[in-house]
Amino acid sequence: MKPSLTQLLTFSLLFFASYTTIAQDADAIVGEWYTTEKDAKVEIYKENGKYNGKITWLEQPTENGKPILDANNSDKSKRDRKILGMELLEGFEFKDGTWENGTIYDPTNGKTYSCTLKKKNDKTLEVRGYIGISLVGRTVEWTKVK
């Protein structure tokens, strides 16, 4: 028995509606977020199917009239790069309501950690950095910029 035109159209609409919903959920973190201390803003964006984030604002972007640099980086060749504009989040993929397989860089200690991101609600993003397994790590909350 062949499906009717109406059945094919209904199936097509349902398929594309569900695909659109999934795509919207995946892009739900795109935008600007305040860090926990609200001393920086991170813009999360999508590029080549992955989610990244860079620092777009600092409460204190300079020290003694000079831009704050990545002085604590373990890679000495990167210690002269500016914190403002720096890539903080890299390589996240959306899966089952969580953005995973990415990394987060902590300029306060110069270390990079494995990381997962999860929306707690429309205004709050849970950011979990860890070494090795996710059970051993730290979770902070970022707030959506209005």
Side-chain angles (χ1 to χ4, degrees):
M1 183 163 109
K2 292 184 179 180
S4 69
L5 181 58
T6 304
Q7 289 172 324
L8 285 174
L9 287 174
T10 302
F11 174 76
S12 297
L13 287 173
L14 288 174
F15 174 77
F16 288 114
S18 65
Y19 179 78
T20 302
T21 301
I22 291 168
Q24 288 172 348
D25 289 345
D27 289 346
I29 61 168
V30 171
E32 276 194 310
W33 298 86
Y34 283 111
T35 58
T36 305
E37 298 81 15
K38 291 195 170 40
D39 58 356
K41 289 181 191 176
V42 176
E43 179 187 358
I44 298 177
Y45 59 94
K46 186 176 183 179
E47 183 175 70
N48 299 322
K50 296 194 178 193
Y51 297 86
N52 302 308
K54 63 182 173 183
I55 299 172
T56 57
W57 174 85
L58 290 171
E59 186 176 51
Q60 299 288 325
T62 60
E63 187 173 30
N64 299 322
K66 296 181 180 180
I68 295 181
L69 302 178
D70 190 16
N72 298 317
N73 198 306
S74 57
D75 181 345
K76 292 180 182 181
S77 70
K78 294 182 178 179
R79 291 184 180 167
D80 62 346
R81 68 180 180 166
K82 297 176 188 174
I83 298 289
L84 187 60
M86 171 187 293
E87 198 80 18
L88 197 70
L89 303 170
E90 290 188 60
F92 288 85
E93 301 167 343
F94 182 73
K95 182 179 179 185
D96 299 326
T98 303
W99 293 264
E100 52 189 39
N101 300 323
T103 59
I104 186 167
Y105 176 73
D106 183 351
T108 61
N109 66 16
K111 295 182 181 177
T112 300
Y113 300 94
S114 296
C115 185
T116 59
L117 307 171
K118 187 170 188 175
K119 283 194 72 179
K120 188 172 181 180
N121 56 48
D122 286 342
K123 297 178 184 175
T124 309
L125 183 65
E126 290 181 341
V127 180
R128 181 159 185 77
Y130 59 94
I131 297 173
I133 59 171
S134 181
L135 294 174
V136 182
R138 184 174 140 215
T139 301
V140 295
E141 292 183 352
W142 290 2
T143 308
K144 184 80 169 170
V145 175
K146 297 176 180 164

